[in-house]
PDB file of all heavy atoms in Angstrom:
ATOM      1  N   PHE A   1     124.090 125.911 111.139  1.00 80.00           N
ATOM      2  CA  PHE A   1     124.200 127.284 111.579  1.00 80.00           C
ATOM      3  C   PHE A   1     122.795 127.902 111.502  1.00 80.00           C
ATOM      4  O   PHE A   1     122.141 127.731 110.444  1.00 80.00           O
ATOM      5  CB  PHE A   1     125.239 127.942 110.654  1.00 80.00           C
ATOM      6  CG  PHE A   1     126.547 127.260 110.703  1.00 80.00           C
ATOM      7  CD1 PHE A   1     127.020 126.469 109.756  1.00 80.00           C
ATOM      8  CD2 PHE A   1     127.497 127.565 111.738  1.00 80.00           C
ATOM      9  CE1 PHE A   1     128.324 125.817 109.744  1.00 80.00           C
ATOM     10  CE2 PHE A   1     128.671 126.963 111.801  1.00 80.00           C
ATOM     11  CZ  PHE A   1     129.096 126.056 110.821  1.00 80.00           C
ATOM     12  N   PRO A   2     122.485 128.722 112.388  1.00 81.00           N
ATOM     13  CA  PRO A   2     121.200 129.333 112.361  1.00 81.00           C
ATOM     14  C   PRO A   2     120.959 130.225 111.116  1.00 81.00           C
ATOM     15  O   PRO A   2     119.786 130.284 110.650  1.00 81.00           O
ATOM     16  CB  PRO A   2     121.240 130.245 113.676  1.00 81.00           C
ATOM     17  CG  PRO A   2     122.140 129.574 114.589  1.00 81.00           C
ATOM     18  CD  PRO A   2     123.245 128.944 113.589  1.00 81.00           C
ATOM     19  N   TRP A   3     121.981 130.954 110.702  1.00 81.00           N
ATOM     20  CA  TRP A   3     121.798 131.843 109.605  1.00 81.00           C
ATOM     21  C   TRP A   3     121.572 131.153 108.304  1.00 81.00           C
ATOM     22  O   TRP A   3     120.895 131.691 107.348  1.00 81.00           O
ATOM     23  CB  TRP A   3     122.991 132.764 109.531  1.00 81.00           C
ATOM     24  CG  TRP A   3     123.065 133.850 110.645  1.00 81.00           C
ATOM     25  CD1 TRP A   3     123.782 133.647 111.767  1.00 81.00           C
ATOM     26  CD2 TRP A   3     122.436 135.125 110.558  1.00 81.00           C
ATOM     27  NE1 TRP A   3     123.650 134.856 112.535  1.00 81.00           N
ATOM     28  CE2 TRP A   3     122.893 135.698 111.886  1.00 81.00           C
ATOM     29  CE3 TRP A   3     121.822 135.794 109.783  1.00 81.00           C
ATOM     30  CZ2 TRP A   3     122.472 137.003 112.250  1.00 81.00           C
ATOM     31  CZ3 TRP A   3     121.279 137.098 110.039  1.00 81.00           C
ATOM     32  CH2 TRP A   3     121.718 137.655 111.314  1.00 81.00           C
ATOM     33  N   THR A   4     122.133 129.970 108.141  1.00 80.00           N
ATOM     34  CA  THR A   4     122.034 129.223 106.821  1.00 80.00           C
ATOM     35  C   THR A   4     121.113 128.072 106.970  1.00 80.00           C
ATOM     36  O   THR A   4     120.995 127.256 106.006  1.00 80.00           O
ATOM     37  CB  THR A   4     123.449 128.811 106.506  1.00 80.00           C
ATOM     38  OG1 THR A   4     123.978 127.909 107.522  1.00 80.00           O
ATOM     39  CG2 THR A   4     124.381 129.939 106.252  1.00 80.00           C
ATOM     40  N   ARG A   5     120.440 127.815 108.077  1.00 80.00           N
ATOM     41  CA  ARG A   5     119.559 126.707 108.232  1.00 80.00           C
ATOM     42  C   ARG A   5     118.363 126.705 107.146  1.00 80.00           C
ATOM     43  O   ARG A   5     118.157 125.659 106.654  1.00 80.00           O
ATOM     44  CB  ARG A   5     118.997 126.690 109.629  1.00 80.00           C
ATOM     45  CG  ARG A   5     118.010 125.390 109.944  1.00 80.00           C
ATOM     46  CD  ARG A   5     117.504 125.520 111.313  1.00 80.00           C
ATOM     47  NE  ARG A   5     118.469 125.519 112.297  1.00 80.00           N
ATOM     48  CZ  ARG A   5     119.129 124.398 112.836  1.00 80.00           C
ATOM     49  NH1 ARG A   5     118.546 123.262 112.271  1.00 80.00           N
ATOM     50  NH2 ARG A   5     120.041 124.475 113.717  1.00 80.00           N
ATOM     51  N   PRO A   6     117.861 127.971 106.902  1.00 82.00           N
ATOM     52  CA  PRO A   6     116.673 127.865 105.866  1.00 82.00           C
ATOM     53  C   PRO A   6     117.189 127.382 104.503  1.00 82.00           C
ATOM     54  O   PRO A   6     116.452 126.664 103.853  1.00 82.00           O
ATOM     55  CB  PRO A   6     116.258 129.216 105.886  1.00 82.00           C
ATOM     56  CG  PRO A   6     116.504 129.800 107.215  1.00 82.00           C
ATOM     57  CD  PRO A   6     117.945 129.185 107.612  1.00 82.00           C
ATOM     58  N   ALA A   7     118.393 127.828 104.174  1.00 81.00           N
ATOM     59  CA  ALA A   7     118.956 127.351 102.856  1.00 81.00           C
ATOM     60  C   ALA A   7     119.277 125.909 102.809  1.00 81.00           C
ATOM     61  O   ALA A   7     119.012 125.093 101.826  1.00 81.00           O
ATOM     62  CB  ALA A   7     120.245 128.218 102.453  1.00 81.00           C
ATOM     63  N   GLY A   8     119.799 125.431 103.872  1.00 77.00           N
ATOM     64  CA  GLY A   8     120.039 123.885 103.960  1.00 77.00           C
ATOM     65  C   GLY A   8     118.748 123.081 103.973  1.00 77.00           C
ATOM     66  O   GLY A   8     118.699 122.041 103.273  1.00 77.00           O
ATOM     67  N   GLU A   9     117.704 123.553 104.676  1.00 77.00           N
ATOM     68  CA  GLU A   9     116.409 122.881 104.649  1.00 77.00           C
ATOM     69  C   GLU A   9     115.818 122.879 103.244  1.00 77.00           C
ATOM     70  O   GLU A   9     115.221 121.919 102.811  1.00 77.00           O
ATOM     71  CB  GLU A   9     115.529 123.469 105.678  1.00 77.00           C
ATOM     72  CG  GLU A   9     116.008 123.201 107.130  1.00 77.00           C
ATOM     73  CD  GLU A   9     115.125 123.765 108.129  1.00 77.00           C
ATOM     74  OE1 GLU A   9     114.179 124.648 107.681  1.00 77.00           O
ATOM     75  OE2 GLU A   9     115.205 123.577 109.366  1.00 77.00           O
ATOM     76  N   ALA A  10     116.035 124.120 102.534  1.00 82.00           N
ATOM     77  CA  ALA A  10     115.515 124.147 101.196  1.00 82.00           C
ATOM     78  C   ALA A  10     116.097 123.218 100.280  1.00 82.00           C
ATOM     79  O   ALA A  10     115.497 122.536  99.461  1.00 82.00           O
ATOM     80  CB  ALA A  10     115.566 125.478 100.741  1.00 82.00           C
ATOM     81  N   LEU A  11     117.476 123.095 100.398  1.00 76.00           N
ATOM     82  CA  LEU A  11     118.216 122.132  99.545  1.00 76.00           C
ATOM     83  C   LEU A  11     117.615 120.659  99.889  1.00 76.00           C
ATOM     84  O   LEU A  11     117.444 119.867  98.965  1.00 76.00           O
ATOM     85  CB  LEU A  11     119.796 122.257  99.786  1.00 76.00           C
ATOM     86  CG  LEU A  11     120.332 123.469  99.340  1.00 76.00           C
ATOM     87  CD1 LEU A  11     121.819 123.519  99.616  1.00 76.00           C
ATOM     88  CD2 LEU A  11     120.199 123.516  97.740  1.00 76.00           C
ATOM     89  N   GLY A  12     117.490 120.372 101.154  1.00 76.00           N
ATOM     90  CA  GLY A  12     117.099 119.057 101.484  1.00 76.00           C
ATOM     91  C   GLY A  12     115.765 118.733 100.981  1.00 76.00           C
ATOM     92  O   GLY A  12     115.386 117.597 100.461  1.00 76.00           O
ATOM     93  N   ASN A  13     114.776 119.736 101.132  1.00 78.00           N
ATOM     94  CA  ASN A  13     113.450 119.549 100.730  1.00 78.00           C
ATOM     95  C   ASN A  13     113.294 119.356  99.183  1.00 78.00           C
ATOM     96  O   ASN A  13     112.507 118.595  98.677  1.00 78.00           O
ATOM     97  CB  ASN A  13     112.548 120.737 101.115  1.00 78.00           C
ATOM     98  CG  ASN A  13     112.327 120.819 102.632  1.00 78.00           C
ATOM     99  OD1 ASN A  13     112.437 119.751 103.298  1.00 78.00           O
ATOM    100  ND2 ASN A  13     112.120 121.992 103.182  1.00 78.00           N
ATOM    101  N   TYR A  14     114.172 120.156  98.492  1.00 77.00           N
ATOM    102  CA  TYR A  14     114.233 120.048  97.056  1.00 77.00           C
ATOM    103  C   TYR A  14     114.648 118.578  96.593  1.00 77.00           C
ATOM    104  O   TYR A  14     114.015 117.978  95.627  1.00 77.00           O
ATOM    105  CB  TYR A  14     115.088 121.107  96.387  1.00 77.00           C
ATOM    106  CG  TYR A  14     115.179 121.068  94.937  1.00 77.00           C
ATOM    107  CD1 TYR A  14     114.091 121.362  94.074  1.00 77.00           C
ATOM    108  CD2 TYR A  14     116.338 120.437  94.269  1.00 77.00           C
ATOM    109  CE1 TYR A  14     114.141 121.332  92.749  1.00 77.00           C
ATOM    110  CE2 TYR A  14     116.411 120.360  92.958  1.00 77.00           C
ATOM    111  CZ  TYR A  14     115.430 120.833  92.142  1.00 77.00           C
ATOM    112  OH  TYR A  14     115.466 120.693  90.726  1.00 77.00           O
ATOM    113  N   LEU A  15     115.692 118.168  97.210  1.00 74.00           N
ATOM    114  CA  LEU A  15     116.149 116.775  96.849  1.00 74.00           C
ATOM    115  C   LEU A  15     115.077 115.720  97.199  1.00 74.00           C
ATOM    116  O   LEU A  15     114.861 114.859  96.383  1.00 74.00           O
ATOM    117  CB  LEU A  15     117.471 116.531  97.693  1.00 74.00           C
ATOM    118  CG  LEU A  15     118.054 115.142  97.373  1.00 74.00           C
ATOM    119  CD1 LEU A  15     118.427 114.936  95.965  1.00 74.00           C
ATOM    120  CD2 LEU A  15     119.306 114.955  98.244  1.00 74.00           C
ATOM    121  N   GLY A  16     114.493 115.908  98.294  1.00 76.00           N
ATOM    122  CA  GLY A  16     113.473 114.964  98.710  1.00 76.00           C
ATOM    123  C   GLY A  16     112.274 114.916  97.808  1.00 76.00           C
ATOM    124  O   GLY A  16     111.792 113.866  97.352  1.00 76.00           O
ATOM    125  N   SER A  17     111.843 116.163  97.531  1.00 79.00           N
ATOM    126  CA  SER A  17     110.547 116.240  96.646  1.00 79.00           C
ATOM    127  C   SER A  17     110.921 115.692  95.246  1.00 79.00           C
ATOM    128  O   SER A  17     110.062 115.010  94.579  1.00 79.00           O
ATOM    129  CB  SER A  17     110.127 117.595  96.498  1.00 79.00           C
ATOM    130  OG  SER A  17     111.164 118.493  95.985  1.00 79.00           O
ATOM    131  N   THR A  18     112.239 115.971  94.686  1.00 77.00           N
ATOM    132  CA  THR A  18     112.663 115.454  93.422  1.00 77.00           C
ATOM    133  C   THR A  18     112.514 113.931  93.424  1.00 77.00           C
ATOM    134  O   THR A  18     111.969 113.245  92.529  1.00 77.00           O
ATOM    135  CB  THR A  18     113.934 116.037  93.000  1.00 77.00           C
ATOM    136  OG1 THR A  18     113.884 117.420  92.940  1.00 77.00           O
ATOM    137  CG2 THR A  18     114.394 115.511  91.674  1.00 77.00           C
ATOM    138  N   VAL A  19     113.157 113.304  94.434  1.00 75.00           N
ATOM    139  CA  VAL A  19     113.182 111.801  94.531  1.00 75.00           C
ATOM    140  C   VAL A  19     111.765 111.231  94.615  1.00 75.00           C
ATOM    141  O   VAL A  19     111.515 110.252  93.900  1.00 75.00           O
ATOM    142  CB  VAL A  19     114.050 111.386  95.705  1.00 75.00           C
ATOM    143  CG1 VAL A  19     114.062 109.928  95.985  1.00 75.00           C
ATOM    144  CG2 VAL A  19     115.537 111.781  95.525  1.00 75.00           C
ATOM    145  N   LEU A  20     111.004 111.880  95.506  1.00 75.00           N
ATOM    146  CA  LEU A  20     109.593 111.441  95.643  1.00 75.00           C
ATOM    147  C   LEU A  20     108.815 111.547  94.325  1.00 75.00           C
ATOM    148  O   LEU A  20     107.920 110.686  93.893  1.00 75.00           O
ATOM    149  CB  LEU A  20     108.929 112.242  96.761  1.00 75.00           C
ATOM    150  CG  LEU A  20     109.368 111.914  98.126  1.00 75.00           C
ATOM    151  CD1 LEU A  20     108.612 112.788  99.113  1.00 75.00           C
ATOM    152  CD2 LEU A  20     109.170 110.472  98.485  1.00 75.00           C
ATOM    153  N   SER A  21     109.053 112.627  93.593  1.00 74.00           N
ATOM    154  CA  SER A  21     108.394 112.897  92.310  1.00 74.00           C
ATOM    155  C   SER A  21     108.839 111.795  91.330  1.00 74.00           C
ATOM    156  O   SER A  21     107.933 111.194  90.550  1.00 74.00           O
ATOM    157  CB  SER A  21     108.680 114.362  91.777  1.00 74.00           C
ATOM    158  OG  SER A  21     108.064 114.544  90.569  1.00 74.00           O
ATOM    159  N   LEU A  22     110.111 111.591  91.269  1.00 72.00           N
ATOM    160  CA  LEU A  22     110.540 110.558  90.244  1.00 72.00           C
ATOM    161  C   LEU A  22     110.017 109.178  90.603  1.00 72.00           C
ATOM    162  O   LEU A  22     109.565 108.331  89.744  1.00 72.00           O
ATOM    163  CB  LEU A  22     112.082 110.559  90.216  1.00 72.00           C
ATOM    164  CG  LEU A  22     112.848 111.757  89.450  1.00 72.00           C
ATOM    165  CD1 LEU A  22     114.229 111.744  89.719  1.00 72.00           C
ATOM    166  CD2 LEU A  22     112.403 111.942  88.203  1.00 72.00           C
ATOM    167  N   GLY A  23     109.958 108.834  91.916  1.00 75.00           N
ATOM    168  CA  GLY A  23     109.564 107.619  92.427  1.00 75.00           C
ATOM    169  C   GLY A  23     107.990 107.426  92.023  1.00 75.00           C
ATOM    170  O   GLY A  23     107.598 106.385  91.614  1.00 75.00           O
ATOM    171  N   GLY A  24     107.263 108.583  92.322  1.00 72.00           N
ATOM    172  CA  GLY A  24     105.834 108.450  92.022  1.00 72.00           C
ATOM    173  C   GLY A  24     105.679 108.248  90.537  1.00 72.00           C
ATOM    174  O   GLY A  24     104.765 107.593  90.109  1.00 72.00           O
ATOM    175  N   SER A  25     106.418 108.992  89.721  1.00 69.00           N
ATOM    176  CA  SER A  25     106.255 108.904  88.301  1.00 69.00           C
ATOM    177  C   SER A  25     106.607 107.439  87.829  1.00 69.00           C
ATOM    178  O   SER A  25     105.885 106.887  86.961  1.00 69.00           O
ATOM    179  CB  SER A  25     107.173 109.786  87.559  1.00 69.00           C
ATOM    180  OG  SER A  25     106.831 111.132  87.907  1.00 69.00           O
ATOM    181  N   LEU A  26     107.554 106.831  88.365  1.00 71.00           N
ATOM    182  CA  LEU A  26     107.905 105.500  88.026  1.00 71.00           C
ATOM    183  C   LEU A  26     106.723 104.504  88.425  1.00 71.00           C
ATOM    184  O   LEU A  26     106.398 103.627  87.763  1.00 71.00           O
ATOM    185  CB  LEU A  26     109.198 105.071  88.624  1.00 71.00           C
ATOM    186  CG  LEU A  26     110.468 105.653  88.044  1.00 71.00           C
ATOM    187  CD1 LEU A  26     111.672 105.371  88.849  1.00 71.00           C
ATOM    188  CD2 LEU A  26     110.616 105.352  86.636  1.00 71.00           C
ATOM    189  N   LEU A  27     106.242 104.747  89.676  1.00 74.00           N
ATOM    190  CA  LEU A  27     105.207 103.806  90.152  1.00 74.00           C
ATOM    191  C   LEU A  27     103.978 104.026  89.284  1.00 74.00           C
ATOM    192  O   LEU A  27     103.278 102.993  89.021  1.00 74.00           O
ATOM    193  CB  LEU A  27     104.914 104.184  91.562  1.00 74.00           C
ATOM    194  CG  LEU A  27     105.879 103.807  92.580  1.00 74.00           C
ATOM    195  CD1 LEU A  27     105.496 104.235  93.965  1.00 74.00           C
ATOM    196  CD2 LEU A  27     106.237 102.245  92.583  1.00 74.00           C
ATOM    197  N   ARG A  28     103.628 105.238  88.778  1.00 71.00           N
ATOM    198  CA  ARG A  28     102.444 105.553  88.000  1.00 71.00           C
ATOM    199  C   ARG A  28     102.631 104.937  86.639  1.00 71.00           C
ATOM    200  O   ARG A  28     101.583 104.652  85.886  1.00 71.00           O
ATOM    201  CB  ARG A  28     102.110 106.942  87.997  1.00 71.00           C
ATOM    202  CG  ARG A  28     101.541 107.483  89.310  1.00 71.00           C
ATOM    203  CD  ARG A  28     101.017 108.890  88.995  1.00 71.00           C
ATOM    204  NE  ARG A  28     102.097 109.858  88.552  1.00 71.00           N
ATOM    205  CZ  ARG A  28     102.800 110.563  89.408  1.00 71.00           C
ATOM    206  NH1 ARG A  28     102.634 110.508  90.808  1.00 71.00           N
ATOM    207  NH2 ARG A  28     103.674 111.401  89.039  1.00 71.00           N
ATOM    208  N   ALA A  29     103.912 104.884  86.267  1.00 71.00           N
ATOM    209  CA  ALA A  29     104.139 104.355  84.862  1.00 71.00           C
ATOM    210  C   ALA A  29     104.147 102.808  84.708  1.00 71.00           C
ATOM    211  O   ALA A  29     104.014 102.289  83.685  1.00 71.00           O
ATOM    212  CB  ALA A  29     105.509 104.794  84.359  1.00 71.00           C
ATOM    213  N   VAL A  30     104.250 102.129  85.929  1.00 78.00           N
ATOM    214  CA  VAL A  30     104.255 100.642  85.891  1.00 78.00           C
ATOM    215  C   VAL A  30     103.006  99.989  85.240  1.00 78.00           C
ATOM    216  O   VAL A  30     103.051  99.260  84.424  1.00 78.00           O
ATOM    217  CB  VAL A  30     104.505 100.112  87.365  1.00 78.00           C
ATOM    218  CG1 VAL A  30     104.217  98.611  87.326  1.00 78.00           C
ATOM    219  CG2 VAL A  30     105.880 100.383  87.742  1.00 78.00           C
ATOM    220  N   PRO A  31     101.761 100.551  85.589  1.00 80.00           N
ATOM    221  CA  PRO A  31     100.555  99.989  84.942  1.00 80.00           C
ATOM    222  C   PRO A  31     100.567 100.190  83.440  1.00 80.00           C
ATOM    223  O   PRO A  31     100.206  99.333  82.679  1.00 80.00           O
ATOM    224  CB  PRO A  31      99.391 100.673  85.741  1.00 80.00           C
ATOM    225  CG  PRO A  31      99.983 101.065  86.975  1.00 80.00           C
ATOM    226  CD  PRO A  31     101.405 101.395  86.738  1.00 80.00           C
ATOM    227  N   ARG A  32     101.047 101.472  83.024  1.00 79.00           N
ATOM    228  CA  ARG A  32     100.950 101.733  81.594  1.00 79.00           C
ATOM    229  C   ARG A  32     101.997 100.878  80.849  1.00 79.00           C
ATOM    230  O   ARG A  32     101.731 100.419  79.783  1.00 79.00           O
ATOM    231  CB  ARG A  32     101.399 103.210  81.403  1.00 79.00           C
ATOM    232  CG  ARG A  32     100.361 104.333  81.890  1.00 79.00           C
ATOM    233  CD  ARG A  32     100.665 105.652  81.548  1.00 79.00           C
ATOM    234  NE  ARG A  32      99.644 106.567  81.628  1.00 79.00           N
ATOM    235  CZ  ARG A  32      99.610 107.694  81.144  1.00 79.00           C
ATOM    236  NH1 ARG A  32     100.642 108.221  80.435  1.00 79.00           N
ATOM    237  NH2 ARG A  32      98.496 108.507  81.411  1.00 79.00           N
ATOM    238  N   LEU A  33     103.216 100.773  81.549  1.00 82.00           N
ATOM    239  CA  LEU A  33     104.198  99.855  80.834  1.00 82.00           C
ATOM    240  C   LEU A  33     103.749  98.494  80.807  1.00 82.00           C
ATOM    241  O   LEU A  33     103.954  97.752  79.670  1.00 82.00           O
ATOM    242  CB  LEU A  33     105.498  99.993  81.572  1.00 82.00           C
ATOM    243  CG  LEU A  33     106.211 101.330  81.633  1.00 82.00           C
ATOM    244  CD1 LEU A  33     107.483 101.189  82.485  1.00 82.00           C
ATOM    245  CD2 LEU A  33     106.595 101.750  80.263  1.00 82.00           C
ATOM    246  N   PHE A  34     102.909  97.954  81.689  1.00 85.00           N
ATOM    247  CA  PHE A  34     102.417  96.650  81.709  1.00 85.00           C
ATOM    248  C   PHE A  34     101.351  96.442  80.600  1.00 85.00           C
ATOM    249  O   PHE A  34     101.238  95.521  79.923  1.00 85.00           O
ATOM    250  CB  PHE A  34     101.812  96.266  82.982  1.00 85.00           C
ATOM    251  CG  PHE A  34     101.167  94.929  83.119  1.00 85.00           C
ATOM    252  CD1 PHE A  34     101.911  93.702  83.114  1.00 85.00           C
ATOM    253  CD2 PHE A  34      99.835  94.723  82.910  1.00 85.00           C
ATOM    254  CE1 PHE A  34     101.466  92.493  83.142  1.00 85.00           C
ATOM    255  CE2 PHE A  34      99.248  93.551  82.895  1.00 85.00           C
ATOM    256  CZ  PHE A  34     100.014  92.348  83.035  1.00 85.00           C
ATOM    257  N   THR A  35     100.594  97.558  80.486  1.00 86.00           N
ATOM    258  CA  THR A  35      99.592  97.577  79.355  1.00 86.00           C
ATOM    259  C   THR A  35     100.198  97.535  77.922  1.00 86.00           C
ATOM    260  O   THR A  35      99.767  96.764  77.014  1.00 86.00           O
ATOM    261  CB  THR A  35      98.711  98.805  79.415  1.00 86.00           C
ATOM    262  OG1 THR A  35      98.137  98.856  80.779  1.00 86.00           O
ATOM    263  CG2 THR A  35      97.642  98.849  78.415  1.00 86.00           C
TER     264      THR A  35
END
């Protein structure tokens, strides 16, 4: 719906950024864990 589209996109962006942040943290932690 046009009126609620910004809220829906914000929810989607938040979920995507959270997943990307967690994935990035895990990838950055791999060399440390190996060390």
Side-chain angles (χ1 to χ4, degrees):
F1 302 95
W3 290 91
T4 57
R5 182 183 298 274
E9 291 178 350
L11 290 177
N13 292 334
Y14 178 76
L15 179 62
S17 62
T18 302
V19 172
L20 290 176
S21 176
L22 291 175
S25 299
L26 290 176
L27 290 177
R28 288 191 298 270
V30 169
R32 291 190 170 193
L33 295 176
F34 179 76
T35 304

